[in-house]
C-alpha cells in the first residue's frame, strides 16, 4: 500500500491523478497544490525513487509496467453510471448519422452500445472505439492517425487535428477530465483539449458525457463551457437551469 511508504497527501493525490491521465506537468502540479516547483520536484523525486512514477518531458507519468493495465482500471471505475450514460447517448443517435467520438472511457462505453447498430459513420481518435466497432462490418469507421498515447489508448497531435478538420459530422461526443466551478469542461493537456475542440467545431451538434466525479476534480486546460453543448449527459444534476442536460442514473 502506498500509505505505508511514507507518502505525503500531495504525493497520494499525484498518484490518484496519474491513474486517470498519461502525463502530469510539474508547473500544473505546482499551481494545483499552490506550492513551488521545487516542492513538487521533491515530491516527484521520491515517487520516482520508489518506482511509483517516472520523469518524462517536464513532468511525470506512470511507470511503463503499470500503463498497459491502467486503461482497463479506469474503464471499470464508475462502470454502472458510464453504462447508463452510454445507453442514454446511444438512444439519441439517429440511423445514418456521422458521429465523432472522442477521448475517454465513458466515450468508449458508448461504442459498446453502438455495436449492434447499422448505417452509422464513426470518426474517432480513440483506438479502443475503433477496436470495438470494427467487429461490425455494417459500420463505417475512420480512425485518425497520430501520436499513440498507450496509457489512454488514443491518438493526439497535429496530424489528428488535420484529419478531423476534413469532416463535417452530425454529432460530436466528447468526455472531459474535469468540470470547473465556472462551468468549463476541461482537460489535463493541450493535446487533449485540441482534439476535443476540433471535433466540436467539425460537428453540427455538440454532446458532453461526464459522470459526477468530474465536478470533484480540477484540470487546467479549457475546452468549452457547458452552455456551449447541446446536451450534457451526466448523473450530476446540480446544473444551471439553462443547461440542457440528460440525467443518467443506474
Amino acid at each position: 500500500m502506498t500509505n505505508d511508504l511514507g507518502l505525503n497527501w500531495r504525493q497520494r493525490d499525484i498518484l490518484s491523478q496519474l491513474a486517470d491521465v498519461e502525463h502530469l506537468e510539474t508547473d500544473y502540479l505546482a499551481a494545483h497544490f499552490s506550492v513551488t516547483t521545487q516542492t513538487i520536484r521533491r515530491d516527484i523525486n521520491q515517487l520516482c525513487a520508489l518506482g511509483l512514477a517516472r520523469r518524462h518531458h517536464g513532468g511525470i507519468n506512470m511507470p511503463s509496467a503499470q500503463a498497459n493495465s491502467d486503461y482497463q482500471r479506469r474503464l471499470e471505475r464508475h462502470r454502472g453510471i458510464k453504462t447508463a450514460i452510454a445507453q442514454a447517448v446511444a438512444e439519441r443517435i439517429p440511423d445514418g448519422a456521422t458521429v465523432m467520438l472522442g477521448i475517454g472511457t465513458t466515450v468508449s462505453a458508448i461504442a459498446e452500445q453502438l455495436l449492434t447498430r447499422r448505417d452509422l459513420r464513426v470518426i474517432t481518435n480513440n483506438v479502443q472505439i475503433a477496436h470495438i466497432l470494427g467487429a461490425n462490418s455494417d459500420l463505417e469507421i475512420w480512425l485518425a492517425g497520430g501520436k499513440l498515447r498507450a496509457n489512454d489508448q488514443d491518438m493526439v497531435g497535429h496530424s489528428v487535428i488535420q484529419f478531423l478538420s476534413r469532416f463535417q459530422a452530425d454529432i460530436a461526443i466528447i468526455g472531459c477530465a474535469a468540470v470547473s466551478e465556472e462551468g468549463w469542461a476541461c482537460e489535463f493537456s493541450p493535446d487533449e483539449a485540441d482534439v476535443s475542440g476540433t471535433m466540436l467545431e467539425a460537428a453540427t451538434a455538440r454532446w458532453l458525457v461526464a459522470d459526477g466525479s468530474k465536478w470533484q476534480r480540477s484540470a487546467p486546460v479549457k475546452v468549452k463551457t457547458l452552455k456551449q453543448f447541446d446536451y450534457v449527459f451526466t448523473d450530476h444534476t446540480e446544473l444551471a437551469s439553462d443547461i440542457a442536460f440528460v440525467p443518467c442514473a443506474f
Side-chain angles (χ1 to χ4, degrees):
M1 298 287 294
T2 55
N3 285 356
D4 298 330
L5 299 175
L7 302 184
N8 62 41
W9 67 273
R10 288 189 307 274
Q11 292 166 328
R12 293 193 296 271
D13 192 302
I14 290 170
L15 292 179
S16 177
Q17 292 192 47
L18 277 179
D20 289 325
V21 297
E22 178 188 28
H23 177 73
L24 291 171
E25 296 183 358
T26 302
D27 289 343
Y28 158 71
L29 290 171
H32 177 72
F33 294 116
S34 299
V35 297
T36 66
T37 54
Q38 289 81 2
T39 297
I40 289 299
R41 289 192 182 99
R42 286 195 293 269
D43 287 335
I44 288 174
N45 287 341
Q46 183 177 352
L47 291 174
C48 293
L50 292 170
L52 300 175
R54 64 176 180 176
R55 295 179 188 83
H56 183 69
H57 297 316
I60 57 172
N61 59 12
M62 188 164 289
S64 56
Q66 298 180 33
N68 291 336
S69 62
D70 184 59
Y71 180 89
Q72 189 61 38
R73 288 199 301 270
R74 296 204 315 274
L75 184 62
E76 293 304 321
R77 189 177 301 154
H78 309 298
R79 180 70 176 192
I81 188 59
K82 289 179 181 180
T83 298
I85 289 172
Q87 289 172 341
V89 170
E91 290 172 358
R92 287 164 174 79
I93 297 176
D95 291 336
T98 296
V99 183
M100 287 189 168
L101 295 178
I103 293 167
T105 53
T106 304
V107 185
S108 295
I110 296 170
E112 296 175 354
Q113 300 298 318
L114 298 176
L115 184 54
T116 59
R117 295 285 295 273
R118 306 170 68 90
D119 192 27
L120 288 179
R121 178 182 294 110
V122 176
I123 304 156
T124 187
N125 70 316
N126 190 317
V127 176
Q128 281 297 312
I129 288 175
H131 175 71
I132 292 167
L133 295 181
N136 183 350
S137 59
D138 291 323
L139 300 177
E140 181 180 331
I141 312 299
W142 292 77
L143 177 62
K147 175 189 174 184
L148 173 65
R149 300 194 308 169
N151 197 37
D152 295 284
Q153 291 294 289
D154 59 39
M155 302 286 192
V156 296
H158 182 65
S159 60
V160 174
I161 301 301
Q162 284 187 317
F163 179 84
L164 296 174
S165 298
R166 298 175 65 184
F167 290 90
Q168 177 60 51
D170 298 304
I171 308 167
I173 305 170
I174 70 162
C176 65
V179 177
S180 73
E181 293 182 359
E182 295 78 20
W184 282 89
C186 299
E187 289 291 0
F188 282 110
S189 78
D191 280 346
E192 294 168 324
D194 287 346
V195 170
S196 293
T198 300
M199 286 188 172
L200 296 175
E201 293 301 321
T204 302
R206 301 168 175 178
W207 297 0
L208 175 70
V209 295
D211 67 73
S213 69
K214 306 302 183 182
W215 276 260
Q216 302 168 15
R217 305 165 57 186
S218 62
V221 188
K222 296 177 180 178
V223 180
K224 296 286 183 184
T225 67
L226 298 187
K227 294 180 181 180
Q228 291 176 287
F229 289 91
D230 295 283
Y231 287 107
V232 177
F233 296 78
T234 182
D235 61 320
H236 182 84
T237 58
E238 296 179 10
L239 299 180
S241 58
D242 56 347
I243 295 173
F245 77 99
V246 178
C248 303
F250 65 100

